[in-house]
Amino acid sequence: MSNFSQKPTIIFDMDGTLLDLAYDDLIWNQLVPIQYAEVHQCSIEQSKEVLFQFYQEHSHTLNWYSSHFWSTKVGFDVLALQKKQQHKVSRREGCIELLEYLKANHYPCWLATNADCASLKFKLKQTSIEQYFDVIVSSETLGHAKEFTAFWEKLHQLHPFDAQQTYFIDDTEKVLLGAQKFGLQHLITIQQPSSTGLIRENSNFPMINRLTDLIPLLEQAEEQKQYA
Ligand SMILES: [Mg+2]
């Protein structure tokens, strides 16, 4: 007998997918540069230049997602700065509606995030979404960022899933490409990850805007299964 549920597993990214990326943009593009300028006695322009250099060097690595790494790098407590603003963490439109739908229709629901364990903890608390997930993993725990197939191999070892059937929704192109390389079949991206950011024109993957736009896609797939 198969261990897999009849309904496909739905794996979600957190920041920029279920949650509004505007919070992270505020922290990393505005507040960190301001505090860096204060601590290192330089202008905001100089601060942004130095930080941009750091960001370029570490983008898409585990370090990039580590509050501890950044605290050491910039010389102040980045996690404390994030927590001070935690009331600004918010869910994207349709988030609860979608998660309620998936729960009511018995879809296994997982959260796979590159956020480190400390950020994951306060973000889950702030947004009350923890209850909807059967599995929650941070790339910090697995030791690899989601951009790399090693993340997916490790996740698959710990929590087996059917890569042919599973849906994965993430706002980062490089993450989706990593998942594709591993063999995940149903990959979907987000058109506007940040409510204060740009609307994407194109992607290598199908795009949804409102999270509830996923529902008709799943219903269509279920219907096709019935007639297959
Ligand atoms: Mg994301």
Side-chain angles (χ1 to χ4, degrees):
M1 212 173 102
S2 165
N3 284 327
F4 297 116
S5 151
Q6 276 192 316
K7 289 280 173 69
T9 300
I10 318 291
I11 308 181
F12 289 102
D13 164 52
M14 184 171 69
D15 302 323
T17 298
L18 293 176
L19 306 187
D20 191 343
L21 201 65
Y23 166 83
D24 307 86
D25 287 344
L26 170 76
I27 299 292
W28 298 100
N29 299 336
Q30 292 184 45
L31 301 182
V32 169
I34 291 171
Q35 197 158 338
Y36 187 91
E38 277 168 18
V39 169
H40 298 275
Q41 300 281 297
C42 63
S43 68
I44 294 281
E45 289 69 32
Q46 284 167 324
S47 160
K48 282 189 172 173
E49 211 171 293
V50 174
L51 288 168
F52 183 71
Q53 185 72 32
F54 289 166
Y55 292 173
Q56 291 279 88
E57 276 171 39
H58 299 282
S59 161
H60 300 291
T61 67
L62 261 192
N63 279 342
W64 172 261
Y65 303 105
S66 163
S67 311
H68 178 71
F69 169 82
W70 284 110
S71 298
T72 316
K73 192 87 181 159
V74 297
F76 53 87
D77 188 344
V78 175
L79 182 61
L81 174 71
Q82 285 175 278
K83 280 187 170 173
K84 214 170 150 187
Q85 301 292 329
Q86 67 184 19
H87 57 284
K88 291 188 180 152
V89 177
S90 65
R91 298 183 296 258
R92 290 190 64 250
E93 205 184 336
C95 175
I96 294 294
E97 212 177 324
L98 172 62
L99 294 174
E100 282 287 345
Y101 170 88
L102 296 173
K103 192 178 166 186
N105 289 279
H106 312 292
Y107 283 89
C109 230
W110 298 11
L111 186 68
T113 180
N114 271 333
D116 63 7
C117 299
S119 325
L120 172 62
K121 199 174 163 191
F122 78 76
K123 284 179 173 177
L124 287 178
K125 197 171 168 211
Q126 177 66 26
T127 55
S128 312
I129 56 170
E130 188 170 359
Q131 52 169 316
Y132 293 102
F133 301 104
D134 306 298
V135 170
I136 297 180
V137 283
S138 158
S139 55
E140 186 182 41
T141 314
L142 297 195
H144 304 279
K146 285 189 295 180
E147 284 84 338
F148 301 95
T149 49
F151 172 90
W152 297 101
E153 282 156 11
K154 197 92 183 266
L155 179 64
H156 192 260
Q157 263 171 25
L158 291 171
H159 306 282
F161 59 89
D162 182 351
Q164 297 284 326
Q165 301 296 328
T166 299
Y167 284 73
F168 175 51
I169 301 98
D170 197 297
D171 65 306
T172 302
E173 202 80 356
K174 277 199 177 174
V175 168
L176 290 167
L177 289 168
Q180 187 175 50
K181 215 168 157 193
F182 171 76
L184 278 168
Q185 290 294 308
H186 303 287
L187 301 163
I188 294 166
T189 194
I190 301 288
Q191 201 169 18
Q192 194 185 14
S194 164
S195 59
T196 55
L198 293 173
I199 296 175
R200 284 184 185 153
E201 296 282 314
N202 46 45
S203 162
N204 289 310
F205 302 96
M207 279 195 280
I208 56 170
N209 187 18
R210 267 185 63 93
L211 283 164
T212 44
D213 293 346
L214 185 66
I215 297 174
L217 296 180
L218 295 175
E219 284 178 346
Q220 213 176 6
E222 283 303 304
E223 245 169 70
Q224 279 171 3
K225 252 199 313 195
Q226 276 179 10
Y227 296 109

